[in-house]
Each structure stands twice: as structure tokens, then as C-alpha cells.
Amino acid sequence: MPQQQEEWTPAGPYRLKSGQHAGQTLEQILLHNIIDFLKMKWALERNASNPLHLNGYQRHFQWLIAKFDQLAATALCRECGQPAKILPAVGSSQEGYHFVPQPLCPACCAKSQWQRASTVSLSLRAPENFRSQSDKKRAWEAIKAALGFPKKITGQQLFELLAAINHHSPV
Ligand SMILES: [Zn+2]
């Protein structure tokens, strides 16, 4: 059976009716509270064992993640113009990381001034790879900046940006 979430586009941002974030939209939480968004994602992944019976929240959540990663896949390497997959990250888990919001392809990264740096993938999941909350947050800020998000982007604007992505965009 084809993945139905590929064809389905929600009508608007998903507003939570209860819980700690009641009144906020999933889009706002993704933009401004990546720590809680990732916790909600883990909870969802634990509970959504049957992909054919997703409720509206689960369906919207998965749509958001898939669309964000489609958007991230359109980022181009600032050196060669080929698809960019990573950002350089300098530091260590003890001292904390500094993330460079410059999308690069692995080949250009390997021959740049960042060749000895760590890297973070341009993906919504990438902040999960860092242990400390401040690194998670900084990684997320760098990913948003690398994708050209305005600082004051609203949940509604993010929704519209993601909803406009063509299903056949290169991945
Ligand atoms: Zn490149």
C-alpha cells in the first residue's frame, strides 16, 4: 500500500488542545522548543505502532517531520552547489559545540577549513545526536539558519513553507 501521508496535506497548523503545550501549534513547538518537540516525537514513535491507524495528531506530526526533511534535502552546498547534507560543528561533548550554519556537501567539507570538524546532518533528527540540551538547541538553531529561516518565522509561515513543497522535489 502506498504511503498515504505523501499525498495528504493538512489544512493548517496543528493546534494542541491539552497538555503542557495546549494552545500552541506543533509548528510553533518545532520552531521554538526543539527539546520538547523531540520528546513528543519519541513518545509518538513509542505509541504509533500501527501506521494504518494514525490519529490526526500522529498523522500531522509525521507529515511535519517528512516535509521538514524534504525541505532540508533541497539545501545546496555553498562551495559547489551540489546537494548539501551537513553542517560543520566544532567542539566536544564536554565543552559544547559551536555549529557553523553553512550547508556543505561531505566532499567540500573534507577539503575545507572544517576538515577536522565534526559534522551534523541537515535533518530534524540531527539534534538527537547531541547529549546536552544546549547542544541540541544550538544544533537546531544552526540548521534553521542554514536553511534560511527568518529569525521571527511563525508557525503559520513554517506550515505554509512546508505545505508548498512539491511532492516530487529531489531527495
Ligand atoms: Zn560541495
Side-chain angles (χ1 to χ4, degrees):
M1 200 155 152
Q3 292 237 315
Q4 293 196 341
Q5 69 213 44
E6 290 286 88
E7 309 298 327
W8 173 78
T9 300
Y14 190 94
R15 196 169 293 281
L16 297 165
K17 294 171 193 73
S18 59
Q20 187 189 353
H21 294 288
Q24 290 182 278
T25 66
L26 281 180
E27 283 78 1
Q28 288 171 320
I29 299 165
L30 173 60
L31 283 171
H32 305 300
N33 195 337
I34 190 66
I35 303 291
D36 282 3
F37 188 89
L38 291 175
K39 283 183 196 155
M40 291 159 73
K41 175 175 166 289
W42 297 329
L44 180 138
E45 285 167 354
R46 276 199 305 275
N47 298 327
S49 50
N50 187 340
L52 296 179
H53 293 95
L54 299 181
N55 63 31
Y57 167 79
Q58 292 166 330
R59 210 174 173 200
H60 194 105
F61 211 106
Q62 295 196 347
W63 175 84
L64 202 51
I65 292 170
K67 281 291 166 183
F68 186 89
D69 280 343
Q70 278 184 36
L71 177 72
T74 65
L76 299 178
C77 174
R78 67 191 297 273
E79 299 294 333
C80 72
Q82 294 297 305
K85 300 196 181 308
I86 55 176
L87 304 178
V90 185
S92 68
S93 55
Q94 284 82 28
E95 297 165 5
Y97 285 93
H98 167 72
F99 299 91
V100 185
Q102 297 174 355
L104 291 171
C105 71
C108 290
C109 190
K111 52 188 187 197
S112 75
Q113 58 174 311
W114 309 113
Q115 56 179 286
R116 291 173 196 282
S118 304
T119 59
V120 55
S121 63
L122 267 173
S123 158
L124 198 158
R125 292 166 179 81
E128 292 177 353
N129 297 328
F130 295 90
R131 210 176 303 155
S132 81
Q133 293 215 344
S134 49
D135 280 339
K136 285 183 166 79
K137 287 181 195 167
R138 283 197 295 260
W140 183 238
E141 291 307 312
I143 289 168
K144 287 189 293 179
L147 295 176
F149 283 23
K151 275 228 161 31
K152 305 248 177 194
I153 186 171
T154 64
Q156 179 68 33
Q157 287 168 329
L158 175 65
F159 172 80
E160 288 170 10
L161 186 67
L162 296 178
I165 296 174
N166 191 305
H167 291 147
H168 304 293
S169 299
V171 283

